[in-house]
Amino acid sequence: QLRVEDAILPRQWGAEANGTTNDTLALQACLAHSKANGVRMESDSSDIYFLGTFADDAAETKFLIDFDNFTWNTNNCEFTANASIAAFHDGQSSQDIFRFEDASEIVIGDFRVTASQIARTGDDRQGIQAITMLSTAANARNVKLGKVSCSKCTSVITAFSGNPSSFRYRGL
């Protein structure tokens, strides 16, 4: 029995969580089910999700949270990924593990991110961001995060607005 009350487990969607198998598609399928059915996700502290390699010539987000009322009890699991240090990413928020877009009432527990590399080019850095927050259409609110620790990441949280004079995240 993989179901824990109203929680769903990434292993139900094929995630191996062994640190070597690329779990991206399985986690994205689990996230889509969570979004469609309003159930929380649950991971184990021993889970290590490998998220593959970021593309050299495109912005990529592993987990887009663009809906309200999302909870992932990550329980200090780990996400690992190979960062791109190609010129395309120079100084940009273009390699995201989590990206919140106009989403409110988000709860994500403790987790770790381990990236393969980080590069510095001039004044800019290239690599992975654990969380990017973007507000484009309205004020988003109430994002609750546990302890987030990163190794070889450019930032833990990057926040910006599509209209800096109007929209922002409140209640982080």
Side-chain angles (χ1 to χ4, degrees):
Q1 180 73 17
L2 293 174
R3 188 169 293 275
V4 179
E5 298 174 12
D6 60 343
I8 55 174
L9 307 175
R11 291 177 193 268
Q12 290 175 280
W13 276 261
E16 296 289 328
N18 60 16
T20 57
T21 303
N22 189 335
D23 289 319
T24 303
L25 293 177
L27 290 167
Q28 289 170 343
C30 188
L31 178 64
H33 181 82
S34 174
K35 177 180 180 177
N37 295 287
V39 294
R40 75 178 189 276
M41 291 173 60
E42 186 90 28
S43 290
D44 205 38
S45 63
S46 62
D47 290 344
I48 302 173
Y49 301 111
F50 176 59
L51 304 178
T53 301
F54 280 88
D56 285 340
D57 57 357
E60 185 177 356
T61 296
K62 298 297 182 176
F63 310 117
L64 176 62
I65 312 299
D66 60 352
F67 59 98
D68 295 340
N69 300 310
F70 173 68
T71 298
W72 188 344
N73 294 331
T74 47
N75 293 313
N76 203 33
C77 70
E78 182 174 3
F79 300 98
T80 66
N82 297 323
S84 169
I85 56 170
F88 176 89
H89 302 291
D90 192 16
Q92 298 193 35
S93 297
S94 56
Q95 299 179 77
D96 308 316
I97 302 296
F98 288 98
R99 185 178 186 96
F100 306 152
E101 281 193 18
D102 299 319
S104 295
E105 307 299 333
I106 299 169
V107 178
I108 298 180
D110 298 349
F111 66 92
R112 305 177 313 277
V113 175
T114 303
S116 61
Q117 58 190 339
I118 186 172
R120 186 178 184 107
T121 306
D123 292 333
D124 294 323
R125 292 183 183 265
Q126 296 155 251
I128 294 172
Q129 289 76 232
I131 301 166
T132 297
M133 301 170 67
L134 172 62
S135 184
T136 62
N139 288 323
R141 65 197 179 286
N142 299 335
V143 174
K144 298 176 184 173
L145 301 170
K147 179 182 175 186
V148 180
S149 59
C150 293
S151 175
K152 298 182 183 175
C153 293
T154 56
S155 67
V156 176
I157 298 176
T158 301
F160 58 101
S161 173
N163 184 346
S165 62
S166 300
F167 309 126
R168 64 188 72 76
Y169 268 88
R170 297 173 186 246
L172 175 62

